[in-house]
Amino acid sequence: MHPFHRLRPARPSLRWKIAALAAATACLVAVAVGVLVHVWTAQDVRQQAEAQAFNSVYSAMDVYRRTGTLADGAELDPADLPAALRHPADGDRHTAYDERVEGNLGPSVWAAQRTGGPGSRVLAVRVNMSPQLHTLRQLDMSMAVASLVALAAAVPLAAYGAGLLARRLQRVSETAGRISAGDLDARTGPTKGRDEVADIAATVDLMADSLGRRLRTERQFTADVAHELRTPVGGLLAAVDLLPPGETEDLLRARVRDLRGLVEDLLEISRLDAGAEQPVRAHVPLGAVVSEAVVRTGLDTEVTVTVAGTRGAEAAGSVETVETDPRRLERIVSNLVVNAHRHGDTPVQVTVEGRTVVVRDHGPGFPADLLLHGPRRFHTGAAERGSGHGLGLTIALGQARLLGAELRLDNAPDGGAVATLRLPV
């Protein structure tokens, strides 16, 4: 993980979002189809019942007129005949829907016709729709069961398909994350399919190629400039030594030494970028190495060594021994201490506990941009942090990576910058 990465809140994965969308879509389709089938079937059942009643009253009227008797199911002026059919205005056949439920009789369709002229009796036939409605309810139940089965099959299939897509996107995301963390050799490579995901993966790889070329060009330029400046700066330092003692000589000597330090820093960064540096490891007492590095800075810094509950001089004989490159460890600690004095405020405190070294000042703290993105060369952050070329923290971070250590930058709750170096076991 990038040392300055901030955790994001957990979010539902794309796989389950797509699965939920597929489930919702399947539910909507099932409901829509079920409603349409129910409505169309109910209309068809009613139309068939009306046609049956219409034909039945026609046959019953023919029998009544020929024989004077009533056919099965036919009635004259039945008491429960709907009001719309009690007094038809003409002699034609008419139908009406009766939604009343009486005993074993459910909703029905009536058909009626006068037996003669105005004032004559009304012959009616009733068609019970209970069997058809029972069939309709069975159809609804079958549709519901089929919808649930389809939903149960659609969701796993959608989750599986979404998982394939999510895994491809995850590969692209991991590659982008590695590039963001500084691994410019990370590539997604060819992906299955010829779709938008494949286009995104190819675009990320092209971006990494372009970014790598530009960064290598910039690093090579920095290395070339530093190398070319090294000789003339050395000549300047030798020339300054020939000047007569005085204020001018002291001022020139200080500026030339600053310039030489900048050139040496640039060369060191160039070697770190090129991977040309290799640590020379040895077993060393951590507290002693840190204390010596602080003393060499010549800055007033409080050093506290804590081992197994003891502090200061009591811990000197039992300090933690680590396997590391002492020269690079001193470089890291000295850069952190110098940065704390230059950009922070006193007191500057260095604490050694176990395999952890903490450097803290009591100034304005690290800028938010530095905490978010990490140190950047030739960028010192906020104005209140003071001036400088911004290479100290960059070198410290590079050397820490070379040692396999973790360097974390943060701000203390009560103010001040805190740099924490954790050496690997």
Side-chain angles (χ1 to χ4, degrees):
M1 181 182 292
H2 194 278
F4 306 99
H5 176 73
R6 292 295 181 266
L7 293 177
R8 298 178 179 176
R11 296 175 295 181
S13 66
L14 179 63
R15 175 180 184 179
W16 298 114
K17 287 182 178 179
I18 295 178
L21 180 61
T25 303
C27 289
L28 289 176
V29 171
V31 170
V33 172
V35 170
L36 290 176
V37 170
H38 177 86
V39 171
W40 290 339
T41 305
Q43 290 178 347
D44 185 63
V45 167
R46 183 166 175 175
Q47 289 174 357
Q48 290 181 3
E50 289 178 349
Q52 181 181 354
F54 198 84
N55 294 333
S56 296
V57 79
Y58 175 82
S59 300
M61 182 60 69
D62 181 65
V63 172
Y64 181 76
R65 287 175 176 173
R66 286 188 297 102
T67 64
T69 59
L70 295 176
D72 292 340
E75 300 178 68
L76 290 173
D77 296 326
D80 51 355
L81 185 67
L85 300 180
R86 288 183 181 279
H87 305 287
D90 52 32
D92 295 336
R93 293 182 292 276
H94 299 275
T95 60
Y97 179 72
D98 184 4
E99 60 182 8
R100 292 175 297 178
V101 178
E102 300 175 355
N104 294 329
L105 297 178
S108 305
V109 172
W110 290 86
Q113 182 181 5
R114 286 191 179 276
T115 56
S120 60
R121 305 184 71 179
V122 176
L123 179 67
V125 175
R126 181 178 188 177
V127 175
N128 183 18
M129 295 175 58
S130 295
Q132 292 86 343
L133 294 179
H134 178 70
T135 302
L136 178 60
R137 286 191 292 271
Q138 289 182 328
L139 177 62
D140 292 341
M141 185 62 67
S142 299
M143 288 291 297
V145 173
S147 299
L148 292 177
V149 172
L151 180 63
V155 171
L157 290 176
Y160 175 75
L164 296 178
L165 176 62
R167 281 191 290 272
R168 296 173 62 197
L169 290 174
Q170 183 66 26
R171 284 184 57 194
V172 179
S173 175
E174 290 175 354
T175 301
R178 290 170 57 191
I179 295 173
S180 176
D183 183 6
L184 298 182
D185 294 327
R187 296 294 184 274
T188 304
T191 60
K192 296 180 180 179
R194 310 176 79 179
D195 50 18
E196 289 81 357
V197 177
D199 294 340
I200 293 174
T203 303
V204 170
D205 288 348
L206 289 176
M207 178 196 68
D209 292 337
S210 177
L211 183 61
R213 286 194 298 269
R214 293 184 181 183
L215 191 56
R216 281 190 291 270
T217 300
E218 292 179 0
R219 289 175 174 175
Q220 185 62 43
F221 174 76
T222 302
D224 293 342
V225 169
H227 187 270
E228 293 297 328
L229 286 176
R230 192 173 190 179
T231 299
V233 168
L236 280 175
L237 189 59
V240 169
D241 291 336
L242 300 178
L243 293 176
E247 184 178 349
T248 302
E249 187 266 346
D250 292 338
L251 181 61
L252 285 176
R253 185 184 298 274
R255 294 296 178 265
V256 172
R257 284 177 176 173
D258 290 342
L259 182 58
R260 184 179 67 174
L262 174 58
V263 172
E264 294 296 333
D265 287 348
L266 288 174
L267 286 173
E268 184 173 358
I269 288 179
S270 300
R271 290 193 297 269
L272 290 172
D273 289 340
E277 296 288 302
Q278 294 295 331
V280 180
R281 301 183 182 275
H283 290 277
V284 293
L286 180 59
V289 173
V290 172
S291 299
E292 185 176 353
V294 172
V295 170
R296 287 183 179 179
T297 63
L299 301 171
D300 185 16
T301 305
E302 177 186 346
V303 180
T304 303
V305 180
T306 303
V307 177
T310 60
R311 287 180 174 271
E314 297 179 5
S318 57
V319 71
E320 181 82 13
T321 300
V322 296
E323 183 182 3
T324 187
D325 188 328
R327 183 182 67 84
R328 300 185 189 279
L329 178 58
E330 289 183 3
R331 179 70 162 147
I332 296 172
V333 174
S334 62
N335 277 17
L336 294 177
V337 171
V338 170
N339 183 81
H341 280 277
R342 178 178 296 171
H343 302 298
D345 199 0
T346 56
V348 175
Q349 301 166 330
V350 177
T351 303
V352 181
E353 183 173 359
R355 294 176 175 268
T356 302
V357 181
V358 180
V359 180
R360 179 189 174 176
D361 63 52
H362 290 76
F366 291 116
D369 181 66
L370 186 146
L371 295 179
L372 181 62
H373 301 292
R376 290 178 288 173
R377 57 196 69 179
F378 299 107
H379 183 81
T380 57
E384 63 270 15
R385 291 284 298 174
S387 61
H389 50 68
L391 296 181
L393 290 180
T394 304
I395 292 175
L397 182 62
Q399 295 287 9
R401 287 189 183 131
L402 190 63
L403 296 180
E406 177 191 4
L407 177 59
R408 181 178 180 85
L409 306 180
D410 210 338
N411 289 328
D414 55 346
V418 180
T420 304
L421 176 69
R422 292 186 177 90
L423 297 176
V425 178

